[in-house]
Amino acid sequence: MGRLSGKVAIITGAAQGMGEAHCKAFVKEGAKVILTDINAEGGQKLADSLGENALFIHHDVAKEADWIKVLAEGEARFGTVNVLVNNAGVLGKIAPTTEFSEADYRWVTDINQIGVFLGMKTVLPSLIKSGGGSIVNISSVAGIVAIYGAPNLAYVGTKFAVRGMTKQIAVEYGDKNVRCNSIHPGYIRTPMMAAATDEDGGDALSMIPLRRLADPSEVSNLAVFLASDESAFISGTEHVIDGGMTAL
Ligand SMILES: NC(=O)c1ccc[n+]([C@@H]2O[C@H](COP(=O)([O-])OP(=O)(O)OC[C@H]3O[C@@H](n4cnc5c(N)ncnc54)[C@H](O)[C@@H]3O)[C@@H](O)[C@H]2O)c1
């Protein structure tokens, strides 16, 4: 028996990085996984490699119609959903606030914040139909503290928003047995991180007490735990996984 046997999960931003690692871990632990991403080629390739318990659906998290399609096709294939992992996110350009246009800011917000709202709004009825479920929202250490030289105000703003939205959903839907928690990764070795620093983490290493970056699978361990019944009494909480960075 896997730790997620009998569970149906939707994981967004599944084509690469942490989303890819979460999909692999969830299937390994016995879940049926609906993988979604705007990158159709990468997402389909991963789903094919994971076998019959994985279904890829092309999906822009910022579009409500796409969410409705994901839920309908996902439920038709695997039944009602037990777990939603809102992982898809973008960094936006690395620039100070005065160099950010309204369009730059709205783009990051549409994906990182509105996307999480649309996902929770669309999938909550399915979780409730299942008798309850677990929502895992991927925020960031940038949703815990501001970081000097961090990507930008929009990223920090949206990641703080996700932390607050997580608590509100935990409070609103706790009596329906829906749990909602946020994960706050520090520097994790993914294509997004490589775009923000360099392959080895560059200057970021001096901010990390453990003096290394994490492998995406280390975050998947936490995502599996929060998705599973092992965490049945944990809701409305933030889970930092950052090698000690925010302890400094
Ligand atoms: N890598 C890190 O160090 C780090 C640290 C803290 C938080 N995070 C967060 O973790 C999550 C995953 O990050 P990652 O490093 O794996 O990123 P990544 O850029 O490597 O992968 C993100 C995935 O999301 C997809 N995506 C982008 N926009 C989308 C949209 N509109 N709809 C659907 N899919 C979309 C991309 O195609 C890609 O496959 C993000 O929310 C990110 O903000 C990452």
Side-chain angles (χ1 to χ4, degrees):
M1 270 284 273
R3 293 159 73 201
L4 299 176
S5 287
K7 299 211 186 285
V8 174
I10 296 174
I11 301 180
T12 68
Q16 66 177 34
M18 276 186 261
E20 176 182 356
H22 300 341
C23 292
K24 289 177 177 166
F26 274 50
V27 168
K28 191 168 159 228
E29 290 297 344
K32 294 182 180 2
V33 179
I34 299 147
L35 295 70
T36 85
D37 206 292
I38 47 169
N39 174 356
E41 200 186 326
Q44 189 61 59
K45 198 169 152 205
L46 178 62
D48 291 345
S49 76
L50 292 174
E52 61 181 15
N53 286 335
L55 169 70
F56 174 73
I57 303 174
H58 183 262
H59 174 211
D60 180 344
V61 294
K63 295 196 174 135
E64 187 165 20
D66 277 16
W67 272 107
I68 291 167
K69 176 188 74 172
V70 165
L71 185 65
E73 290 179 16
E75 279 191 329
R77 169 78 175 266
F78 293 137
T80 51
V81 176
N82 310 97
V83 178
L84 168 64
V85 182
N86 279 310
N87 166 76
V90 291
L91 208 50
K93 69 178 186 184
I94 298 168
T97 301
T98 49
E99 287 168 27
F100 239 65
S101 69
E102 183 181 341
D104 293 333
Y105 198 96
R106 285 191 190 278
W107 181 68
V108 175
T109 306
D110 274 351
I111 297 168
N112 291 5
Q113 183 176 343
I114 307 287
V116 172
F117 155 65
L118 292 173
M120 296 196 293
K121 174 194 151 90
T122 309
V123 178
L124 269 161
S126 190
L127 299 178
I128 293 167
K129 245 189 285 167
S130 300
S134 173
I135 300 174
V136 181
N137 289 327
I138 309 301
S139 175
S140 167
V141 284
I144 299 286
V145 292
I147 300 161
Y148 187 74
N152 56 60
L153 185 73
Y155 190 79
V156 172
T158 56
K159 293 303 186 180
F160 264 83
V162 166
R163 180 181 170 197
M165 290 156 74
T166 297
K167 291 182 187 296
Q168 181 63 24
I169 292 296
V171 169
E172 278 185 31
Y173 291 94
D175 66 351
K176 302 282 188 295
N177 197 30
V178 172
R179 300 184 294 111
C180 188
N181 294 287
S182 52
I183 292 182
H184 300 261
Y187 283 82
I188 317 297
R189 205 179 286 282
T190 69
M192 177 190 282
M193 197 281 309
T197 57
D198 63 45
E199 294 259 315
D200 300 318
D203 294 344
L205 283 188
S206 64
M207 298 191 291
I208 306 169
L210 288 177
R211 296 287 183 267
R212 66 175 180 88
L213 307 180
D215 186 80
S217 64
E218 299 183 69
V219 183
S220 303
N221 293 337
L222 183 52
V224 166
F225 171 69
L226 290 174
S228 78
D229 296 339
E230 292 162 16
S231 58
F233 202 53
I234 299 178
S235 193
T237 57
E238 49 275 278
H239 300 261
V240 175
I241 174 162
D242 68 350
M245 184 179 166
T246 49
L248 281 173

